[in-house]
Short mmCIF file of all heavy atoms in Angstrom, two decimals:
data_model
loop_
_atom_site.label_atom_id
_atom_site.label_comp_id
_atom_site.label_asym_id
_atom_site.label_seq_id
_atom_site.Cartn_x
_atom_site.Cartn_y
_atom_site.Cartn_z
N ASP M 197 50.60 71.82 66.46
CA ASP M 197 51.79 71.00 66.77
C ASP M 197 51.62 69.55 66.31
O ASP M 197 52.60 68.86 66.07
CB ASP M 197 52.07 71.03 68.28
CG ASP M 197 52.59 72.39 68.73
OD1 ASP M 197 52.95 73.21 67.86
OD2 ASP M 197 52.62 72.65 69.95
N ALA M 198 50.36 69.10 66.21
CA ALA M 198 50.09 67.75 65.69
C ALA M 198 50.13 67.74 64.17
O ALA M 198 50.65 66.81 63.55
CB ALA M 198 48.73 67.27 66.18
N LEU M 199 49.59 68.80 63.56
CA LEU M 199 49.42 68.82 62.10
C LEU M 199 50.72 69.03 61.34
O LEU M 199 50.90 68.45 60.26
CB LEU M 199 48.42 69.92 61.70
CG LEU M 199 46.96 69.61 62.02
CD1 LEU M 199 46.12 70.87 61.96
CD2 LEU M 199 46.41 68.55 61.07
N VAL M 200 51.62 69.84 61.89
CA VAL M 200 52.86 70.13 61.14
C VAL M 200 53.65 68.85 60.86
O VAL M 200 53.93 68.54 59.70
CB VAL M 200 53.71 71.21 61.85
CG1 VAL M 200 55.08 71.33 61.19
CG2 VAL M 200 52.98 72.56 61.81
N PRO M 201 53.99 68.04 61.89
CA PRO M 201 54.71 66.81 61.57
C PRO M 201 53.89 65.81 60.75
O PRO M 201 54.44 65.04 59.98
CB PRO M 201 55.08 66.22 62.95
CG PRO M 201 54.28 66.97 63.94
CD PRO M 201 53.86 68.26 63.34
N TYR M 202 52.56 65.86 60.91
CA TYR M 202 51.69 64.97 60.13
C TYR M 202 51.78 65.29 58.64
O TYR M 202 51.95 64.40 57.80
CB TYR M 202 50.25 65.10 60.64
CG TYR M 202 49.23 64.28 59.89
CD1 TYR M 202 49.44 62.93 59.60
CD2 TYR M 202 48.03 64.86 59.46
CE1 TYR M 202 48.48 62.18 58.93
CE2 TYR M 202 47.07 64.12 58.80
CZ TYR M 202 47.30 62.78 58.52
OH TYR M 202 46.35 62.04 57.85
N LEU M 203 51.73 66.58 58.30
CA LEU M 203 51.83 66.98 56.89
C LEU M 203 53.24 66.74 56.34
O LEU M 203 53.40 66.28 55.21
CB LEU M 203 51.43 68.45 56.72
CG LEU M 203 49.93 68.74 56.89
CD1 LEU M 203 49.67 70.23 56.91
CD2 LEU M 203 49.13 68.08 55.77
N VAL M 204 54.24 67.04 57.15
CA VAL M 204 55.62 66.77 56.73
C VAL M 204 55.79 65.26 56.47
O VAL M 204 56.40 64.84 55.49
CB VAL M 204 56.63 67.27 57.80
CG1 VAL M 204 58.03 66.75 57.51
CG2 VAL M 204 56.62 68.80 57.86
N GLY M 205 55.19 64.46 57.36
CA GLY M 205 55.25 63.01 57.21
C GLY M 205 54.55 62.53 55.95
O GLY M 205 55.02 61.60 55.28
N GLN M 206 53.45 63.19 55.57
CA GLN M 206 52.75 62.83 54.33
C GLN M 206 53.66 63.08 53.12
O GLN M 206 53.74 62.25 52.21
CB GLN M 206 51.46 63.64 54.18
CG GLN M 206 50.36 63.21 55.10
CD GLN M 206 49.02 63.82 54.72
OE1 GLN M 206 48.70 64.01 53.55
NE2 GLN M 206 48.23 64.16 55.72
N VAL M 207 54.34 64.21 53.12
CA VAL M 207 55.24 64.53 52.01
C VAL M 207 56.40 63.53 51.98
O VAL M 207 56.76 63.00 50.92
CB VAL M 207 55.76 65.98 52.11
CG1 VAL M 207 56.82 66.26 51.05
CG2 VAL M 207 54.59 66.96 51.97
N ALA M 208 56.96 63.23 53.14
CA ALA M 208 58.05 62.26 53.22
C ALA M 208 57.61 60.88 52.73
O ALA M 208 58.37 60.14 52.12
CB ALA M 208 58.58 62.16 54.65
N ALA M 209 56.32 60.56 52.97
CA ALA M 209 55.79 59.26 52.56
C ALA M 209 55.47 59.21 51.07
O ALA M 209 55.24 58.14 50.51
CB ALA M 209 54.54 58.93 53.36
N GLY M 210 55.43 60.40 50.43
CA GLY M 210 55.22 60.41 48.98
C GLY M 210 54.11 61.31 48.46
O GLY M 210 53.84 61.33 47.27
N ALA M 211 53.44 62.07 49.34
CA ALA M 211 52.43 63.02 48.85
C ALA M 211 53.14 64.18 48.16
O ALA M 211 54.17 64.65 48.63
CB ALA M 211 51.58 63.53 50.01
N GLN M 212 52.57 64.65 47.01
CA GLN M 212 53.29 65.66 46.22
C GLN M 212 52.58 67.05 46.28
O GLN M 212 53.04 67.94 45.53
CB GLN M 212 53.40 65.16 44.76
CG GLN M 212 54.37 63.97 44.65
CD GLN M 212 54.06 63.05 43.48
OE1 GLN M 212 53.04 62.38 43.46
NE2 GLN M 212 54.91 63.00 42.50
#
Side-chain angles (χ1 to χ4, degrees):
D197 290 347
L199 287 164
V200 170
Y202 177 49
L203 288 171
V204 169
Q206 287 192 36
V207 173
Q212 289 153 293

